[in-house]
Amino acid sequence: MNSPIMIACAHGTSNTQGAAEVNALRTAIAELRPGLDVREAYVDVQQPDLVDVVAGLPEGEPAVVVPLLLSVGYHVKVDIARAVKSRPGSAAAAPLGPDRRLAQLLDQRLREAGTTDNDVIVLAAAGSSNPNAAVSVEELLGQLQELRSNRIVAAYGASAQPSVPDAVAMLREELAGGAGAGESAGAVDVGGRVMIASYLLAPGFFHDQLAKAGADVVTEPLLPSPTLAEIALDRYDAAVAMMNEATAPSAPAPPAEAANQAPADAQQGGLFKAVRRFVTKYFPR
Protein backbone atom coordinates (compact mmCIF):
# COMPACT_ATOMS: atom_id res chain seq x y z
CA MET A 1 0.00 0.00 0.00
CA ASN A 2 1.32 3.44 -0.94
CA SER A 3 1.88 6.06 1.72
CA PRO A 4 -0.94 8.60 2.06
CA ILE A 5 -0.53 11.80 0.10
CA MET A 6 0.89 14.67 2.14
CA ILE A 7 -0.82 18.00 1.61
CA ALA A 8 1.68 20.52 2.97
CA CYS A 9 -0.67 23.39 3.74
CA ALA A 10 0.72 26.86 4.47
CA HIS A 11 -1.03 30.11 5.33
CA GLY A 12 -0.05 31.90 2.12
CA THR A 13 1.75 35.19 1.59
CA SER A 14 2.17 37.91 -1.02
CA ASN A 15 5.85 38.19 -0.06
CA THR A 16 7.94 36.70 -2.87
CA GLN A 17 10.78 35.56 -0.62
CA GLY A 18 8.40 34.11 1.94
CA ALA A 19 6.54 32.13 -0.74
CA ALA A 20 9.81 30.83 -2.16
CA GLU A 21 11.02 29.65 1.25
CA VAL A 22 7.79 27.78 1.95
CA ASN A 23 8.05 26.09 -1.44
CA ALA A 24 11.65 25.19 -0.60
CA LEU A 25 10.37 23.62 2.61
CA ARG A 26 8.05 21.37 0.60
CA THR A 27 10.99 20.42 -1.62
CA ALA A 28 13.07 19.59 1.45
CA ILE A 29 10.27 17.38 2.80
CA ALA A 30 10.10 15.47 -0.49
CA GLU A 31 13.88 15.04 -0.56
CA LEU A 32 13.90 13.61 2.95
CA ARG A 33 11.16 11.13 2.02
CA PRO A 34 11.72 9.95 -1.59
CA GLY A 35 8.55 8.63 -3.16
CA LEU A 36 6.21 10.60 -0.91
CA ASP A 37 3.61 12.58 -2.87
CA VAL A 38 3.87 16.10 -1.36
CA ARG A 39 1.26 18.56 -2.59
CA GLU A 40 0.93 22.32 -2.25
CA ALA A 41 -2.05 24.06 -0.61
CA TYR A 42 -2.95 27.29 1.23
CA VAL A 43 -5.68 28.55 3.52
CA ASP A 44 -5.33 32.22 2.50
CA VAL A 45 -3.76 34.63 0.00
CA GLN A 46 -2.24 32.07 -2.39
CA GLN A 47 -3.49 29.33 -4.65
CA PRO A 48 -4.20 26.42 -4.82
CA ASP A 49 -6.76 26.63 -2.04
CA LEU A 50 -6.81 23.71 0.39
CA VAL A 51 -10.48 22.94 -0.28
CA ASP A 52 -9.79 22.59 -4.01
CA VAL A 53 -6.72 20.42 -3.44
CA VAL A 54 -8.63 18.04 -1.17
CA ALA A 55 -11.55 17.87 -3.61
CA GLY A 56 -9.16 17.05 -6.46
CA LEU A 57 -7.45 14.11 -4.78
CA PRO A 58 -7.57 10.77 -6.64
CA GLU A 59 -10.57 8.72 -5.57
CA GLY A 60 -9.76 6.24 -2.83
CA GLU A 61 -6.33 7.70 -2.10
CA PRO A 62 -5.77 8.51 1.60
CA ALA A 63 -4.25 11.89 2.44
CA VAL A 64 -2.84 13.77 5.42
CA VAL A 65 -2.96 17.55 5.66
CA VAL A 66 0.16 18.79 7.46
CA PRO A 67 -0.26 22.41 8.61
CA LEU A 68 2.90 24.39 7.87
CA LEU A 69 1.82 26.57 10.76
CA LEU A 70 3.40 27.10 14.16
CA SER A 71 0.40 26.72 16.46
CA VAL A 72 -3.21 25.70 16.71
CA GLY A 73 -5.55 28.47 15.56
CA TYR A 74 -8.50 29.25 13.35
CA HIS A 75 -6.89 27.85 10.21
CA VAL A 76 -6.10 24.53 11.93
CA LYS A 77 -9.30 24.18 13.95
CA VAL A 78 -11.70 25.39 11.25
CA ASP A 79 -10.27 25.61 7.72
CA ILE A 80 -8.15 22.46 7.79
CA ALA A 81 -10.59 20.49 9.96
CA ARG A 82 -13.46 21.35 7.61
CA ALA A 83 -11.49 20.35 4.50
CA VAL A 84 -10.50 17.00 6.04
CA LYS A 85 -14.05 16.28 7.19
CA SER A 86 -15.31 16.84 3.65
CA ARG A 87 -13.42 13.83 2.31
CA PRO A 88 -13.39 10.33 3.85
CA GLY A 89 -9.91 8.86 4.08
CA SER A 90 -8.31 12.20 4.94
CA ALA A 91 -6.74 13.26 8.22
CA ALA A 92 -5.12 16.34 9.70
CA ALA A 93 -1.73 16.32 11.39
CA ALA A 94 -0.71 18.59 14.25
CA PRO A 95 0.92 21.95 13.43
CA LEU A 96 4.69 22.31 13.55
CA GLY A 97 4.80 23.93 16.96
CA PRO A 98 5.35 23.84 19.79
CA ASP A 99 8.45 21.66 19.55
CA ARG A 100 11.77 21.70 21.40
CA ARG A 101 13.57 21.74 18.07
CA LEU A 102 11.88 25.06 17.27
CA ALA A 103 13.10 26.45 20.60
CA GLN A 104 16.61 25.33 19.67
CA LEU A 105 16.24 26.99 16.28
CA LEU A 106 15.07 30.24 17.91
CA ASP A 107 18.08 30.06 20.23
CA GLN A 108 20.28 29.68 17.14
CA ARG A 109 18.68 32.71 15.49
CA LEU A 110 19.26 34.76 18.66
CA ARG A 111 22.91 33.73 18.74
CA GLU A 112 23.25 34.62 15.07
CA ALA A 113 21.86 38.07 15.92
CA GLY A 114 24.50 38.56 18.62
CA THR A 115 22.22 38.28 21.66
CA THR A 116 24.03 38.58 24.99
CA ASP A 117 23.00 37.64 28.52
CA ASN A 118 22.22 41.31 29.24
CA ASP A 119 19.59 41.54 26.51
CA VAL A 120 15.85 41.07 26.97
CA ILE A 121 13.78 39.19 24.44
CA VAL A 122 10.28 39.43 22.99
CA LEU A 123 9.14 36.11 21.54
CA ALA A 124 6.99 37.43 18.70
CA ALA A 125 4.27 35.16 17.30
CA ALA A 126 1.62 35.93 14.69
CA GLY A 127 -1.27 35.62 17.15
CA SER A 128 -4.72 34.08 16.96
CA SER A 129 -8.16 34.55 18.47
CA ASN A 130 -8.06 30.87 19.46
CA PRO A 131 -6.77 30.65 23.06
CA ASN A 132 -5.04 27.37 22.29
CA ALA A 133 -2.60 29.28 20.08
CA ALA A 134 -1.40 31.32 23.06
CA VAL A 135 -1.03 28.12 25.09
CA SER A 136 1.22 26.73 22.34
CA VAL A 137 3.33 29.89 22.30
CA GLU A 138 3.67 29.83 26.10
CA GLU A 139 4.84 26.22 25.92
CA LEU A 140 7.44 27.20 23.34
CA LEU A 141 8.43 30.13 25.57
CA GLY A 142 9.09 27.72 28.42
CA GLN A 143 11.26 25.57 26.17
CA LEU A 144 13.27 28.62 25.07
CA GLN A 145 13.72 29.73 28.69
CA GLU A 146 15.36 26.39 29.41
CA LEU A 147 18.02 27.30 26.85
CA ARG A 148 18.63 30.95 27.79
CA SER A 149 19.01 32.99 30.98
CA ASN A 150 17.53 36.14 29.43
CA ARG A 151 14.25 37.75 30.46
CA ILE A 152 11.80 36.57 27.78
CA VAL A 153 8.15 37.51 27.24
CA ALA A 154 5.69 36.37 24.59
CA ALA A 155 3.84 38.87 22.40
CA TYR A 156 1.65 38.79 19.31
CA GLY A 157 1.25 40.48 15.97
CA ALA A 158 -2.55 40.34 16.05
CA SER A 159 -5.63 39.01 17.88
CA ALA A 160 -3.91 38.46 21.26
CA GLN A 161 -2.22 40.45 23.99
CA PRO A 162 0.28 41.83 24.65
CA SER A 163 1.07 43.25 21.24
CA VAL A 164 4.70 43.17 20.13
CA PRO A 165 5.11 46.99 20.37
CA ASP A 166 3.62 46.97 23.89
CA ALA A 167 5.98 44.18 25.00
CA VAL A 168 8.97 46.02 23.52
CA ALA A 169 7.97 49.23 25.36
CA MET A 170 7.52 47.36 28.64
CA LEU A 171 10.93 45.72 28.43
CA ARG A 172 12.62 48.96 27.41
CA GLU A 173 11.11 50.62 30.50
CA GLU A 174 12.42 47.79 32.64
CA LEU A 175 15.90 48.23 31.19
CA ALA A 176 15.72 51.94 32.00
CA GLY A 177 14.68 51.20 35.58
CA GLY A 178 11.26 52.76 35.09
CA ALA A 179 7.88 51.99 36.59
CA GLY A 180 7.82 48.52 35.09
CA ALA A 181 11.13 47.52 36.68
CA GLY A 182 11.57 45.63 39.91
CA GLU A 183 10.91 42.02 40.78
CA SER A 184 8.99 41.49 37.53
CA ALA A 185 12.08 42.46 35.57
CA GLY A 186 13.73 39.17 36.39
CA ALA A 187 17.06 40.72 37.45
CA VAL A 188 17.76 42.22 34.03
CA ASP A 189 21.11 44.02 33.80
CA VAL A 190 20.76 47.68 32.80
CA GLY A 191 22.50 48.35 29.50
CA GLY A 192 21.10 45.43 27.53
CA ARG A 193 19.09 45.64 24.34
CA VAL A 194 15.55 44.68 23.44
CA MET A 195 15.63 41.78 20.99
CA ILE A 196 12.69 40.37 19.03
CA ALA A 197 12.86 36.63 18.37
CA SER A 198 10.74 36.16 15.27
CA TYR A 199 8.60 33.09 15.86
CA LEU A 200 7.41 33.19 12.27
CA LEU A 201 7.97 30.73 9.49
CA ALA A 202 9.12 33.07 6.73
CA PRO A 203 9.25 36.72 5.63
CA GLY A 204 5.86 38.32 5.10
CA PHE A 205 3.44 40.86 6.51
CA PHE A 206 3.87 39.97 10.18
CA HIS A 207 7.66 39.83 9.99
CA ASP A 208 7.72 43.23 8.28
CA GLN A 209 5.72 44.65 11.19
CA LEU A 210 8.34 43.51 13.68
CA ALA A 211 10.82 46.03 12.29
CA LYS A 212 8.38 48.80 13.29
CA ALA A 213 7.91 47.62 16.89
CA GLY A 214 10.80 49.63 18.35
CA ALA A 215 13.25 46.84 19.24
CA ASP A 216 17.00 47.12 18.78
CA VAL A 217 17.31 43.87 16.82
CA VAL A 218 14.87 41.52 15.07
CA THR A 219 16.02 37.98 14.33
CA GLU A 220 15.45 36.25 11.02
CA PRO A 221 12.40 33.96 10.67
CA LEU A 222 12.75 30.20 11.19
CA LEU A 223 13.17 29.36 7.52
CA PRO A 224 15.37 28.31 5.90
CA SER A 225 16.23 25.34 8.11
CA PRO A 226 16.12 21.56 7.63
CA THR A 227 14.56 21.32 11.10
CA LEU A 228 11.15 22.36 9.75
CA ALA A 229 11.11 19.55 7.16
CA GLU A 230 12.00 17.00 9.84
CA ILE A 231 9.21 18.21 12.12
CA ALA A 232 6.69 18.19 9.27
CA LEU A 233 7.51 14.56 8.51
CA ASP A 234 7.20 13.65 12.18
CA ARG A 235 3.74 15.22 12.25
CA TYR A 236 2.81 13.33 9.08
CA ASP A 237 4.05 10.01 10.47
CA ALA A 238 2.11 10.49 13.70
CA ALA A 239 -1.09 11.18 11.76
CA VAL A 240 -0.56 8.13 9.52
CA ALA A 241 -0.03 5.95 12.59
CA MET A 242 -3.33 7.15 14.03
CA MET A 243 -5.08 6.47 10.72
CA ASN A 244 -3.69 2.93 10.65
CA GLU A 245 -4.69 2.33 14.25
CA ALA A 246 -8.22 3.55 13.57
CA THR A 247 -8.65 1.22 10.59
CA ALA A 248 -6.87 -1.84 12.02
CA PRO A 249 -9.17 -4.86 12.48
CA SER A 250 -9.99 -5.57 16.10
CA ALA A 251 -8.78 -8.81 17.69
CA PRO A 252 -11.20 -11.74 17.10
CA ALA A 253 -13.33 -12.75 20.05
CA PRO A 254 -12.38 -16.11 21.65
CA PRO A 255 -14.54 -19.09 20.66
CA ALA A 256 -17.58 -19.65 22.86
CA GLU A 257 -16.25 -22.93 24.19
CA ALA A 258 -12.95 -21.28 25.16
CA ALA A 259 -14.80 -18.45 26.87
CA ASN A 260 -16.87 -20.95 28.81
CA GLN A 261 -13.92 -23.17 29.66
CA ALA A 262 -12.29 -20.72 32.05
CA PRO A 263 -15.32 -20.39 34.37
CA ALA A 264 -15.76 -24.18 34.27
CA ASP A 265 -12.12 -24.73 35.18
CA ALA A 266 -12.43 -22.21 37.98
CA GLN A 267 -15.49 -23.99 39.33
CA GLN A 268 -13.75 -27.37 39.21
CA GLY A 269 -10.71 -25.94 40.93
CA GLY A 270 -12.86 -24.42 43.65
CA LEU A 271 -14.71 -27.69 44.21
CA PHE A 272 -11.45 -29.61 44.51
CA LYS A 273 -10.13 -27.17 47.12
CA ALA A 274 -13.36 -27.42 49.13
CA VAL A 275 -13.22 -31.24 49.16
CA ARG A 276 -9.56 -31.19 50.19
CA ARG A 277 -10.29 -28.81 53.08
CA PHE A 278 -13.20 -31.09 54.22
CA VAL A 279 -11.03 -34.23 54.13
CA THR A 280 -8.16 -32.53 55.92
CA LYS A 281 -10.42 -31.22 58.67
CA TYR A 282 -12.50 -34.30 59.39
CA PHE A 283 -10.20 -37.13 58.35
CA PRO A 284 -6.72 -36.08 59.44
CA ARG A 285 -3.86 -38.44 58.72
Side-chain angles (χ1 to χ4, degrees):
M1 177 181 176
N2 293 332
S3 298
I5 295 167
M6 177 197 281
I7 303 174
C9 181
H11 180 277
T13 178
S14 58
N15 183 289
T16 303
Q17 181 185 354
E21 291 189 359
V22 171
N23 281 330
L25 171 57
R26 291 193 186 91
T27 300
I29 292 169
E31 289 175 350
L32 283 176
R33 189 69 58 86
L36 178 62
D37 187 349
V38 181
R39 303 200 178 188
E40 176 183 16
Y42 303 92
V43 290
D44 200 0
V45 184
Q46 289 181 257
Q47 296 293 325
D49 184 82
L50 174 62
V51 173
D52 296 333
V53 173
V54 170
L57 290 172
E59 186 174 352
E61 287 283 342
V64 173
V65 179
V66 177
L68 302 184
L69 302 166
L70 295 173
S71 62
V72 173
Y74 181 87
H75 293 304
V76 172
K77 300 295 287 184
V78 178
D79 293 330
I80 292 175
R82 186 179 295 158
V84 166
K85 188 177 180 180
S86 71
R87 183 182 185 275
S90 302
L96 302 178
D99 191 287
R100 291 190 180 277
R101 289 167 288 183
L102 294 179
Q104 292 167 354
L105 183 53
L106 280 168
D107 179 56
Q108 177 184 329
R109 292 286 183 264
L110 285 163
R111 286 187 279 107
E112 291 168 352
T115 307
T116 71
D117 291 342
N118 293 337
D119 297 329
V120 292
I121 300 168
V122 176
L123 176 63
S128 171
S129 58
N130 187 311
N132 290 327
V135 172
S136 296
V137 174
E138 290 294 334
E139 182 177 341
L140 195 283
L141 172 65
Q143 294 167 350
L144 183 59
Q145 286 173 325
E146 294 176 5
L147 301 174
R148 306 196 66 89
S149 62
N150 306 80
R151 161 99 157 120
I152 311 173
V153 299
Y156 304 92
S159 303
Q161 295 297 325
S163 69
V164 175
D166 286 348
V168 169
M170 179 189 72
L171 291 181
R172 195 169 294 288
E173 187 175 20
E174 289 182 3
L175 287 176
E183 292 182 358
S184 66
V188 175
D189 291 330
V190 175
R193 299 168 297 169
V194 179
M195 315 286 288
I196 290 180
S198 178
Y199 187 44
L200 299 169
L201 205 59
F205 174 79
F206 283 119
H207 187 74
D208 290 343
Q209 299 308 302
L210 299 184
K212 306 172 185 178
D216 297 299
V217 178
V218 179
T219 68
E220 294 298 316
L222 299 176
L223 286 173
S225 169
T227 298
L228 277 302
E230 295 165 1
I231 296 174
L233 282 169
D234 286 347
R235 300 293 186 263
Y236 168 83
D237 289 339
V240 172
M242 290 185 67
M243 291 173 70
N244 291 339
E245 183 177 337
T247 57
S250 55
E257 57 270 17
N260 295 329
Q261 186 66 39
D265 289 345
Q267 291 174 3
Q268 291 177 5
L271 177 62
F272 175 78
K273 290 178 181 178
V275 170
R276 185 171 62 181
R277 285 195 300 269
F278 177 83
V279 171
T280 302
K281 180 176 180 180
Y282 295 104
F283 302 96
R285 292 181 180 180

